[in-house]
Amino acid sequence: MQDALTSRCMHVGSFRFVVSSTKGLLQRFLDPPSSSAIDDAVQRLIEIGAISKLGLELTPLGQHLSFVPIELRLAKMYVALQYQQYQSRYL
């Protein structure tokens, strides 16, 4: 459930919502998650590097991760691998 909520926060953020307004949007769901669960999900996104600590907006990594339809930690590994392959091929 936590990974699903983290992914949901990320995808809402990819629609140009600031994460602080994401919390208000998620609390409008029919079965809303608790505030502490949303805060934990946001903290995980900060730890992964998907959102910035200052503005709570998606980082470039977060923008890439929002397009990969798998669990975020696996998506981060996938994006890093793609970047390394790009670097070795073209740089």
Side-chain angles (χ1 to χ4, degrees), residues 5 8-9 12 22-33:
L5 181 58
R8 184 85 15 91
C9 287
V12 170
T22 300
K23 189 174 187 175
L25 180 66
L26 291 173
Q27 289 176 338
R28 293 183 189 160
F29 285 4
L30 292 175
D31 186 18

Side-chain angles (χ1 to χ4, degrees), residues 6-74:
T6 304
S7 295
R8 184 85 15 91
C9 287
M10 167 86 98
H11 290 117
V12 170
S14 71
F15 296 123
R16 300 283 185 219
F17 282 98
V18 176
V19 174
S20 59
S21 65
T22 300
K23 189 174 187 175
L25 180 66
L26 291 173
Q27 289 176 338
R28 293 183 189 160
F29 285 4
L30 292 175
D31 186 18
S34 67
S35 291
S36 63
I38 295 172
D39 292 338
D40 290 343
V42 169
Q43 185 59 40
R44 277 194 300 281
L45 290 172
I46 290 171
E47 290 170 4
I48 290 172
I51 60 174
S52 66
K53 288 182 183 179
L54 263 0
L56 293 180
E57 296 178 342
L58 284 179
T59 62
L61 173 63
Q63 292 171 0
H64 288 289
L65 293 177
S66 69
F67 291 108
V68 182
I70 56 177
E71 196 271 322
L72 291 175
R73 293 185 194 275
L74 293 175

